[in-house]
């Protein structure tokens, strides 16, 4: 029997998740939540970009969808700028006995040691009350820095350091809020955007480092963060906005798990708005990649180059975030109640996805 699933949002990730649910052989779309009254009442097939009606109308009424008692909600509403509201949403669903797979808040992918207990305990309590499970994941934090490096680690005789890097040109990333308000591209050198406020990098990506440490049985002495910015050598335009000369055009940061004074588990981002910016920083394979470097015996460098059907690496990243969640729904529904991590679930495969069925788009 197919699992009945509600899709929660139709933004960048949500549209891909909606298509994935519709085309997944083990899932049945039961409902669709949207935040905009402009989308309310529109058919899910239309919002998924299909040329057919599915007979499921989008709604802004959360109570209506909770009353459907679905097996799972795929929650892809953006959480970075609305953490409290997102956690309230998740607790409400969990308390109602509904399992959830979610793209955020990202620190819930592995909160132990990163997030204060008073932030996490309401989520765990809601899951206990409803007998339901929550799994937060995606690509980063997510599969690019949980099972990908762990797979390589299982073939090593000795590990001195694991470094997981996102090296990407964000000029085609369709999310102005993230680019300009949260990350701070186009901001002057004396401005500190949300992402670069003290402790925020560790809050967001400390979960990656802590989860790897738990999986590899490493006791960390500290988790430290570092960032540097590259100023635009001349003015240019991205996403309809001018990046003035001298404002931030590239960003590099690390969140490192330390043993003594040595970084042993490192999460790194190298983000540019143009391929020729910050030429001395690490360069991607293609226009964007995820890189796993294992230093030890043997040494590995794994470059995972992403390309969407439209040829764009950012499209691929968004789509894989959505499908990481959608494909995990059966495992999360079957899991014991609670706040789950990647270490709690079996390795998810594309089981049932290879067939002669027509594509959804």
């Amino acid at each position: 029997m197919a699992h009945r699933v509600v899709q929660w949002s139709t933004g960048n990730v949500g549209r891909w998740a909606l298509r994935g649910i519709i085309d997944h052989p083990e899932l049945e779309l039961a409902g669709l939540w949207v935040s905009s009254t402009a989308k309310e009442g529109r058919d899910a097939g239309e919002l998924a970009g299909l040329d057919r009606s599915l007979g499921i109308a989008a709604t802004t009424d959360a109570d209506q969808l909770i009353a459907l008692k679905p097996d799972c909600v795929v929650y892809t509403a953006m959480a970075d700028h609305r953490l409290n509201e997102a956690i309230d949403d998740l607790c409400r669903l969990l308390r109602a006995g509904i399992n959830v797979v979610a793209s955020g808040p990202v620190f819930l992918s592995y909160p132990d040691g990163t997030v204060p207990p008073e932030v996490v305990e309401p989520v765990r309590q809601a899951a206990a009350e409803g007998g339901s499970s929550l799994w937060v994941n995606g690509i980063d934090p997510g599969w690019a820095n949980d099972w990908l490096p762990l797979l390589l680690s299982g073939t090593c005789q000795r590990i001195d350091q694991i470094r997981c890097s996102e090296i990407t040109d964000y000029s085609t990333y369709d999310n102005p809020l993230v680019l300009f308000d949260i990350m701070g591209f186009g901001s002057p050198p004396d401005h500190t955007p949300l992402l670069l406020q003290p402790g925020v990098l560790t809050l967001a990506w400390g979960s990656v480092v802590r989860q790897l440490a738990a999986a590899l049985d490493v006791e960390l002495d500290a988790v430290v963060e570092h960032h540097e910015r590259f100023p635009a050598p001349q003015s240019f335009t991205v996403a309809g906005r001018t990046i003035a000369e001298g404002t931030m055009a590239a960003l590099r940061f690390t969140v490192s798990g330390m043993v003594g004074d040595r970084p042993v588990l490192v999460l790194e981002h190298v983000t540019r708005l143009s391929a020729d910016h910050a030429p001395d920083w690490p360069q991607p394979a293609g226009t964007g990649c995820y890189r796993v470097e294992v230093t030890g015996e043997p040494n590995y460098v794994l470059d995972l180059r992403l390309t969407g059907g439209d040829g764009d690496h950012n499209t691929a990243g968004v789509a894989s975030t959505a499908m990481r969640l959608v494909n995990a729904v059966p495992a999360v529904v079957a899991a014991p109640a609670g706040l789950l991590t990647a270490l709690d679930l079996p390795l998810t495969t594309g089981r049932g996805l290879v067939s002669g069925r027509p594509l959804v788009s």
Side-chain angles (χ1 to χ4, degrees):
M1 179 182 295
H3 297 293
R4 297 173 62 252
V5 178
V6 164
Q7 171 57 34
W8 205 277
S9 88
T10 55
N12 284 348
V13 177
R15 285 193 300 272
W16 282 102
L18 179 58
R19 296 173 190 173
I21 294 167
I22 292 167
D23 205 40
H24 199 290
E26 298 180 27
L27 306 180
E28 173 191 342
L29 183 67
L32 174 62
W33 183 89
V34 291
S35 60
S36 168
T37 55
K39 294 181 180 179
E40 188 167 21
R42 292 169 63 182
D43 189 83
E46 176 193 356
L47 293 174
L50 308 182
D51 58 2
R52 67 184 188 276
S53 172
L54 299 178
I56 295 176
T59 180
T60 58
D61 187 344
D63 290 331
Q64 175 185 328
L65 297 174
I66 291 173
L68 294 175
K69 299 188 181 300
D71 297 304
C72 192
V73 164
V74 179
Y75 187 93
T76 55
M78 189 172 170
D80 294 351
H81 65 307
R82 46 182 290 279
L83 292 177
N84 291 335
E85 183 180 345
I87 290 175
D88 287 345
D89 287 344
L90 297 176
C91 287
R92 184 180 182 190
L93 294 167
L94 293 168
R95 200 172 289 112
I98 301 170
N99 300 292
V100 183
V101 295
S103 57
V106 294
F107 55 72
L108 290 178
S109 62
Y110 194 88
D112 294 341
T114 301
V115 185
E118 59 267 24
V119 175
V120 183
E121 283 311 309
V123 179
R124 289 196 164 108
Q125 183 61 36
E129 290 178 17
S132 50
S133 295
L134 168 66
W135 189 62
V136 177
N137 211 267
I139 186 170
D140 181 4
W143 62 266
N145 38 52
D146 53 45
W147 277 113
L148 202 60
L150 291 178
L151 181 65
L152 291 179
S153 77
T155 66
C156 291
Q157 181 266 328
R158 186 189 79 252
I159 297 173
D160 299 323
Q161 184 187 86
I162 294 179
R163 177 179 292 261
C164 301
S165 303
E166 179 190 89
I167 310 172
T168 309
D169 182 340
Y170 266 33
S171 61
T172 61
Y173 184 55
D174 184 21
N175 195 323
L177 176 64
V178 169
L179 286 176
F180 305 117
D181 296 340
I182 294 177
M183 298 187 75
F185 284 108
S187 63
D190 59 353
H191 173 69
T192 303
L194 175 62
L195 188 66
L196 301 183
Q197 293 177 9
V200 172
L201 290 174
T202 300
L203 176 66
W205 282 277
S207 58
V208 171
V209 172
R210 294 285 185 186
Q211 183 165 243
L212 288 175
L216 298 171
D217 196 24
V218 176
E219 185 174 345
L220 298 176
D221 294 315
V223 174
V224 300
E225 60 184 56
H226 172 77
H227 74 267
E228 54 186 306
R229 296 185 262 190
F230 178 86
Q234 58 189 24
S235 298
F236 64 102
T237 301
V238 167
R241 190 172 305 192
T242 297
I243 308 298
E245 180 180 349
T247 64
M248 191 177 86
L251 171 66
R252 183 182 186 183
F253 67 78
T254 58
V255 178
S256 303
M258 310 293 291
V259 174
D261 60 357
R262 187 165 61 91
V264 296
L265 302 170
V266 182
L267 182 285
E268 178 181 41
H269 273 222
V270 179
T271 308
R272 298 175 171 92
L273 294 186
S274 179
D276 59 353
H277 290 161
D280 296 335
W281 294 358
Q283 297 292 332
T287 54
C289 77
Y290 285 87
R291 178 171 295 158
V292 178
E293 299 173 82
V294 181
T295 305
E297 187 60 55
N299 298 294
Y300 292 112
V301 177
L302 173 63
D303 277 339
L304 183 71
R305 179 176 175 178
L306 292 80
T307 309
D310 60 359
D312 186 75
H313 57 278
N314 285 312
T315 300
V318 171
S320 66
T321 292
M323 294 315 303
R324 169 76 152 160
L325 299 174
V326 170
N327 290 334
V329 167
V332 171
V333 170
L339 177 55
L340 307 173
T341 75
L343 306 182
D344 298 314
L345 295 183
L347 186 62
T348 303
T349 72
R351 184 169 65 91
L353 300 184
V354 179
S355 74
R357 293 177 293 111
L359 300 176
V360 300
S361 59

